[in-house]
Amino acid sequence: MTANVVDRPVSASAGRTTGFRAVVRRVRRDRWAVAAAIVIAVFVVVAIAAPLIAAVTGRDPYRYDVDALNDFGAPRGAAGGVSGEHWFGVEPLTGRDLFAIVTYGARTSLGIGLAATAMSIVIGVLVGVTTGFLGGWYDRVLSRVVDVIFGFPSLVFMIALTAVVPTSFPKPLLVVLVIGFFGWPSVARVVRGQTLSLVSRNYVVASTAMGAGRWHVIRKQLLPNLAATITVYATISIPSMIGAEAALSFLAVGVNPPTPSWGRSIGDAIGWVQTDPMYLVFPGAALFLITLAFNVLGDALRDALDPRGADR
């Protein structure tokens, strides 16, 4: 009796609704998780409404303003040129408004981070669940492929590839493809391990014995029970994808200038740190806050979805 209850699949819509509400209730008890969700929501709104914000403030991240610079290319005034006209100051050498750059940079960082995460999750889940369920030579071959990609110097390959691809190819799309490609093996390994633990459950064995097709078992029995793992892993993968984009832009092989990017702004600011460190503060703070928020929310979701912590 107990074994049957434990092995019952979580595929009924009512059960999923109840489980979702329970997870939300547990997350809402965590003040840090709520604060992280608010920070993420604010950044998403800023990214979506960037053109509207630019229209309201009258600042364009692509407009150069040499009048805001002195003869040495540094912003006029203290704190990087912070003023009522330029809330975050201006960018050295170009005079572009740093508030507009950070605002539009949210679009670049979040857009690439979310797209690369979606790509890596889709490929990783597909490979992980099929290798864990089908096994055999298919599992052995793809497991070796995963090992090879794990041992590959991904950063060196990213730099080389983004540097040699023709400039006509959209750089944001290229960055998404490169980062997403090197992100799926870790997802596949985690999902494969979870799938191996599920295939021995009574309901999976019973479905197979009753003649259910492989894809039916994967869609109806395995994926619903992997949803919690996939959700948590996706949440904690987003900051690493955002960081990878920032690293590539920092190394000047990410998105092409003058496209606003937090990583590129941080990289450009490094050369001016001794002159005025304020250029580094705002893009660095934005990158730090969004990655911290996703990590905190991911940890909270992991705890909330852990059945051992359901009664805490």
Side-chain angles (χ1 to χ4, degrees), residues 38-103:
I38 293 173
V39 170
I40 293 171
V42 169
F43 273 102
V44 171
V45 170
V46 168
I48 295 173
L52 179 61
I53 295 173
V56 171
T57 59
R59 297 298 161 195
D60 186 341
Y62 301 99
R63 187 173 64 194
Y64 288 59
D65 185 8
V66 294
D67 293 334
L69 305 174
N70 59 25
D71 295 337
F72 301 98
R76 299 181 184 274
V82 174
S83 64
E85 188 178 1
H86 300 287
W87 298 349
F88 288 0
V90 297
E91 188 180 58
L93 301 179
T94 65
R96 297 191 300 167
D97 185 74
L98 198 56
F99 175 77
I101 292 176
V102 173
T103 301

Side-chain angles (χ1 to χ4, degrees), residues 117-209:
T117 300
M119 174 183 169
S120 64
I121 291 296
V122 170
I123 298 175
V125 169
L126 179 62
V127 172
V129 73
T130 53
T131 53
F133 180 64
L134 300 178
W137 66 267
Y138 177 75
D139 181 25
R140 291 193 296 271
V141 170
L142 285 185
S143 293
R144 298 293 79 77
V145 172
V146 169
D147 292 338
V148 169
I149 296 178
F150 265 122
F152 203 81
S154 58
L155 182 60
V156 175
F157 181 80
M158 289 180 189
I159 295 173
L161 184 62
T162 53
V164 300
V165 170
T167 55
S168 58
F169 193 89
K171 260 305 178 57
L173 177 59
L174 176 62
V175 173
V176 168
L177 293 176
V178 172
I179 297 175
F181 175 77
F182 283 102
W184 71 262
S186 57
V187 182
R189 180 167 289 181
V190 171
V191 172
R192 176 182 177 274
Q194 293 291 314
T195 302
L196 289 174
S197 69
L198 290 174
V199 293
S200 60
R201 298 289 180 90
N202 291 343
Y203 56 87
V204 176
V205 175
S207 296
T208 305

Side-chain angles (χ1 to χ4, degrees), residues 61-62 96 100-102 104-105 108-109 255-256 258-262 264-265:
Y62 301 99
R96 297 191 300 167
I101 292 176
V102 173
Y104 271 79
T108 303
S109 296
V255 294
N256 292 325
T259 303
S261 168
W262 292 342
R264 182 171 295 280
S265 295

Side-chain angles (χ1 to χ4, degrees), residues 3-21:
N4 291 336
V5 173
V6 172
D7 284 346
R8 185 179 300 161
V10 290
S11 57
S13 59
R16 287 198 298 266
T17 303
T18 303
F20 175 76
R21 290 176 180 173

